[in-house]
């Protein structure tokens, strides 16, 4: 119930509670009436809970797989901030356990490595899959190279929202 001033005065703002009963899920919420009394509403949310569980299971399997491969994998948003890195990536760029998620590529990679990757990243953010040579870290005495691939991730409107890095 919203008061005339739009503040929601007179309304109990308690959050709904999720309850499992006989294999089904319900969202239960109680609200006092403005002139006395109480209304309790029940909404079945079993399908939503099953979808949430399936999504969580899928995320856990993907994370397990990504962490099992020795290849570095990362996911970087349009602002060039890390949103996911696998175990191999963390070992290569944050062996001391420094947090990577939420950090920018520039802050994690450093200026020199970021400058090398930047043109490829910009092409990927523009929508092109790019594979390129990459100097490997820790190989200053004997130069070694690998390769990396940036794959654009598009949303349902076909807009590039992030880049997946493999390599």
């Amino acid at each position: 119930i919203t008061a005339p001033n739009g503040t929601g005065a007179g309304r109990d703002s308690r959050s709904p509670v999720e309850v499992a009963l006989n294999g089904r899920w319900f969202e239960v919420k109680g609200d006092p009436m403005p002139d006395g009394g109480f209304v309790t509403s029940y909404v079945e949310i079993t399908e939503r809970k099953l979808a949430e569980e399936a999504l969580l299971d899928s995320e856990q399997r993907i994370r397990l797989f990504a962490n099992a491969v020795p290849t570095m994998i990362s996911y970087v948003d349009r602002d060039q901030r890390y949103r996911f890195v696998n175990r191999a990536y963390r070992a290569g760029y944050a062996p001391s356990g420094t947090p990577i998620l939420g950090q920018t590529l520039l802050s994690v990679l450093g200026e020199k490595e970021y400058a090398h990757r930047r043109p490829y990243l910009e092409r990927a953010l523009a929508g092109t899959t790019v594979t390129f040579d990459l100097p490997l870290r820790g190989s200053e005495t004997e130069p070694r190279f690998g390769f990396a691939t940036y794959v654009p991730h598009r949303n349902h409107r076909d807009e590039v929202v992030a880049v997946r890095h493999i390599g």
Side-chain angles (χ1 to χ4, degrees):
I1 296 170
T2 304
N5 64 6
T7 63
R11 178 177 167 88
D12 185 355
S13 61
R14 288 179 287 169
S15 299
V17 175
E18 296 177 350
V19 178
L21 180 64
N22 295 327
R24 294 170 62 191
W25 281 90
F26 297 90
E27 184 177 84
V28 182
K29 185 169 185 195
D31 290 300
M33 298 297 293
D35 296 325
F38 201 78
V39 173
T40 303
S41 61
Y42 300 84
V43 177
E44 185 176 1
I45 58 169
T46 303
E47 286 187 35
R48 185 186 86 201
K49 293 298 280 186
L50 292 174
E52 288 172 0
E53 289 175 14
L55 179 61
L56 182 60
D57 182 56
S58 176
E59 287 175 357
Q60 289 172 341
R61 279 186 278 132
I62 289 169
R63 211 171 284 281
L64 179 67
F65 173 74
N67 283 327
V69 297
T71 301
M72 291 185 179
I73 300 172
S74 69
Y75 184 83
V76 177
D77 68 16
R78 286 204 64 80
D79 295 327
Q80 299 185 18
R81 291 188 179 278
Y82 289 97
R83 297 300 171 204
F84 172 83
V85 295
N86 72 341
R87 185 175 292 135
Y89 202 96
R90 269 193 313 275
Y93 288 98
S96 64
T98 305
I100 293 178
L101 298 185
Q103 300 298 314
T104 64
L105 265 74
L106 176 59
S107 68
V108 172
L109 301 177
E111 289 185 31
K112 183 177 178 182
E113 189 169 345
Y114 177 76
H116 177 76
R117 291 180 182 219
R118 185 176 177 183
Y120 306 109
L121 180 63
E122 288 174 351
R123 286 177 50 200
L125 287 169
T128 303
T129 297
V130 184
T131 299
F132 57 97
D133 289 330
L134 185 65
L136 298 177
R137 283 188 160 215
S139 58
E140 287 79 22
T141 57
E142 183 179 318
R144 295 182 327 167
F145 292 86
F147 69 92
T149 301
Y150 287 159
V151 180
H153 176 203
R154 298 176 182 276
N155 65 14
H156 65 281
R157 291 186 298 270
D158 204 33
E159 301 164 331
V160 175
V161 294
V163 171
R164 293 170 284 221
H165 160 250
I166 304 165

